[in-house]
Amino acid sequence: SLPHSIPSLVYTPLKSSNVHPSYYIVTLNKIQLGGSDIAHDIGSLSSTYNRGYGTVLDSGTTFSYLPTMAFSAFKTVLHDKVKSILSSTPGPDSSYNDVCYKGASHDPSQLSSHFPSMELHFQGATLSLDPVNYLFVHGRIAGAYCLGIFDNGNSGTLLG
């Protein structure tokens, strides 16, 4: 049976690009992690996320990528949110500088009790994501998870 109330449909407009006409480009205004703005102190939020090729939605990409300033701010806010209950740990592959934490539940459905939710605020729409949507299982340490968001240098934001 259907739920008693069905949420209203919301959307964000696609932006056109002469340079990348096949990209699904949107305007990302803000990212929040556990209710905290991740980039509150790095100037214009919209220009931070939408630099380079802009904010691209790519369903064929496994991970997400943020410009360096936004990525650094995201890591800082995440660490501040989890440092009292989780410990930093090296990633599963020493070739990469993954951001990982151990001490969470072995059950990924319980991640919300250890990691904050994330909200992506687009023009006209907000997408709320549980931690399982931005983390990946460490694979070598039970109860360890790594950030599935990476540094994209001076390019734009890529949401996979």
Side-chain angles (χ1 to χ4, degrees):
S1 83
L2 292 174
H4 294 311
S5 68
I6 297 173
S8 300
L9 179 66
V10 295
Y11 69 95
T12 188
L14 292 176
K15 296 169 61 175
S16 62
S17 167
N18 292 331
V19 177
H20 301 290
S22 62
Y23 284 12
Y24 293 103
I25 301 172
V26 296
T27 300
L28 178 60
N29 294 321
K30 175 170 60 171
I31 298 175
Q32 290 184 307
L33 198 55
S36 299
D37 292 351
I38 68 150
H40 68 279
D41 61 348
I42 58 176
S44 171
L45 298 176
S46 187
S47 66
T48 298
Y49 300 125
N50 299 297
R51 65 180 349 137
Y53 48 69
T55 296
V56 175
L57 303 178
D58 185 355
S59 62
T61 300
T62 303
F63 299 112
S64 293
Y65 301 83
L66 297 174
T68 297
M69 288 191 311
F71 176 70
S72 295
F74 192 101
K75 286 192 314 182
T76 298
V77 172
L78 178 63
H79 184 74
D80 288 347
K81 297 279 184 187
V82 303
K83 67 183 178 187
S84 66
I85 55 173
L86 301 173
S87 309
S88 294
T89 190
D93 184 340
S94 61
S95 302
Y96 299 97
N97 190 21
D98 290 324
V99 176
C100 303
Y101 293 92
K102 63 182 178 179
S105 172
H106 304 296
D107 180 359
S109 71
Q110 300 299 312
L111 285 178
S112 294
S113 63
H114 302 283
F115 291 93
S117 62
M118 179 171 73
E119 286 190 343
L120 302 170
H121 295 266
F122 300 100
Q123 179 182 342
T126 298
L127 176 62
S128 297
L129 299 171
D130 289 328
V132 71
N133 299 119
Y134 69 84
L135 298 170
F136 65 92
V137 175
H138 187 285
R140 293 183 184 245
I141 300 173
Y145 299 87
C146 302
L147 184 58
I149 299 172
F150 300 96
D151 189 337
N152 207 23
N154 288 322
S155 295
T157 298
L158 180 66
L159 300 174

